[in-house]
Amino acid sequence: MSSRGDILLHVAEINSLESSLVSTEPQRRRPGARGAPQPQPKLPLADDPADAWDRPLRPVKDLDEVARAYPGRKLTLDSERKPLEFYGPPDKPNAFSMDSLEFFLVIAQFFREALPLRLILLMIACQKAGGRIPLTQDEMAHVLDVARTKVNEALQQVMGHGIVFRVKRGVYQFNPPYSYRVAEFIPGTETMDAQYIRVDQHETIAKIRSDESLPDLVRFPSLERMRQEIERLREERAKMRAERRRERVQQKEKGAEQ
């Protein structure tokens, strides 16, 4: 058996050998080939997304490469999305409705006078959740600053096309396919908590269609009749303009003969 002194001598020889193998010069990074492209760091891509948490985070230099690595995701650098902004008084926030653009296009061509269009806009602005319009004709006349008889004439035109219909005295209903307010927020008071009322459009449509006491134009609204009337009016106005042009030509000819 070796003595304790022999063992210590053997350990010292091993340490001396290891020290001789290690250079005392500082380690320098080998220069790469000049102009050679450096490899781009890649994000960890695994079957289980949770595995990515165990990988070191590396800087991203090529967003296109990231997008190709994750084809099922949308890559964006947009700013934070902000909530939609609508004008409305503080006590009635979110005061907006859903309106048919095709409906606006047709009535803009059909109604030649401004009052029916103004009346429609007023009723859109005053409707409650579910499309109910709590307005009397006197209130309409006051807001629009016209005589009540004028309001009644315009209202009959609007109702004649199934745009709105009368529910009871002072209450009208918008036809949901044309304009509809889905929800409204009713602020609280000292005796009542705040409420958020929502009435889905399809529920109101189903209720109107099941009411056989209403006219078919109200139960099954369509803009086709107004489109046909627009074409008829266009043809009439075109004939009137042509007739006026002929009269002017005849008057010029008579003046030249004299």
Side-chain angles (χ1 to χ4, degrees), residues 43 60 62-76:
L43 289 180
V60 176
D62 187 355
L63 294 180
D64 290 336
E65 182 181 355
V66 177
R68 287 191 294 269
Y70 296 88
R73 295 182 177 273
K74 182 178 180 181
L75 181 65
T76 177

Side-chain angles (χ1 to χ4, degrees), residues 43-68:
L43 289 180
L45 182 62
D47 296 335
D48 187 0
D51 293 342
W53 295 104
D54 299 331
R55 311 286 183 87
L57 184 62
R58 299 177 180 177
V60 176
K61 297 182 179 180
D62 187 355
L63 294 180
D64 290 336
E65 182 181 355
V66 177
R68 287 191 294 269

Side-chain angles (χ1 to χ4, degrees), residues 58-182:
R58 299 177 180 177
V60 176
K61 297 182 179 180
D62 187 355
L63 294 180
D64 290 336
E65 182 181 355
V66 177
R68 287 191 294 269
Y70 296 88
R73 295 182 177 273
K74 182 178 180 181
L75 181 65
T76 177
L77 296 177
D78 292 341
S79 60
E80 183 180 358
R81 181 176 296 178
K82 296 179 175 58
L84 297 177
E85 296 180 359
F86 288 90
Y87 284 107
D91 59 334
K92 294 181 181 179
N94 302 328
F96 60 93
S97 63
M98 300 187 305
D99 305 295
S100 166
L101 299 181
E102 182 68 15
F103 167 65
F104 285 151
L105 178 62
V106 171
I107 63 175
Q109 298 175 82
F110 180 80
F111 293 108
R112 304 290 292 180
E113 298 180 356
L115 186 55
L117 293 173
R118 294 175 60 203
L119 181 60
I120 291 173
L121 291 177
L122 173 63
M123 300 179 88
I124 289 176
C126 294
Q127 63 176 311
K128 302 296 183 181
R132 290 294 174 96
I133 310 164
L135 276 180
T136 65
Q137 292 190 23
D138 287 333
E139 291 171 336
M140 298 177 191
H142 175 72
V143 175
L144 298 176
D145 195 21
V146 295
R148 187 180 183 278
T149 54
K150 294 292 185 180
V151 166
N152 184 58
E153 293 175 1
L155 184 59
Q156 295 304 318
Q157 292 183 52
V158 174
M159 293 176 60
H161 297 284
I163 298 172
V164 299
F165 60 92
R166 185 175 181 270
V167 177
K168 60 182 180 180
R169 182 180 177 84
V171 179
Y172 299 85
Q173 170 71 45
F174 238 113
N175 218 324
Y178 298 147
S179 178
Y180 191 77
R181 183 172 180 183
V182 178

Side-chain angles (χ1 to χ4, degrees), residues 6 10 21 34 57 83 102 117 131-132 160 164 211 227-228:
D6 295 336
H10 183 63
L21 296 176
R34 184 170 299 178
L57 184 62
E102 182 68 15
L117 293 173
R132 290 294 174 96
V164 299
D211 189 351
R227 292 192 187 97
Q228 294 174 357

Side-chain angles (χ1 to χ4, degrees), residues 224-239:
E224 189 58 33
R225 203 174 79 173
M226 295 183 71
R227 292 192 187 97
Q228 294 174 357
E229 186 67 11
I230 290 171
E231 293 303 318
R232 187 187 66 80
L233 293 174
R234 287 181 183 275
E235 292 177 359
E236 288 185 359
R237 289 193 291 269
K239 292 178 180 179

Side-chain angles (χ1 to χ4, degrees), residues 7-22:
I7 295 175
L8 294 175
L9 179 61
H10 183 63
V11 171
E13 292 175 353
I14 294 175
N15 291 337
S16 177
L17 178 62
E18 290 179 347
S19 299
S20 64
L21 296 176
V22 178

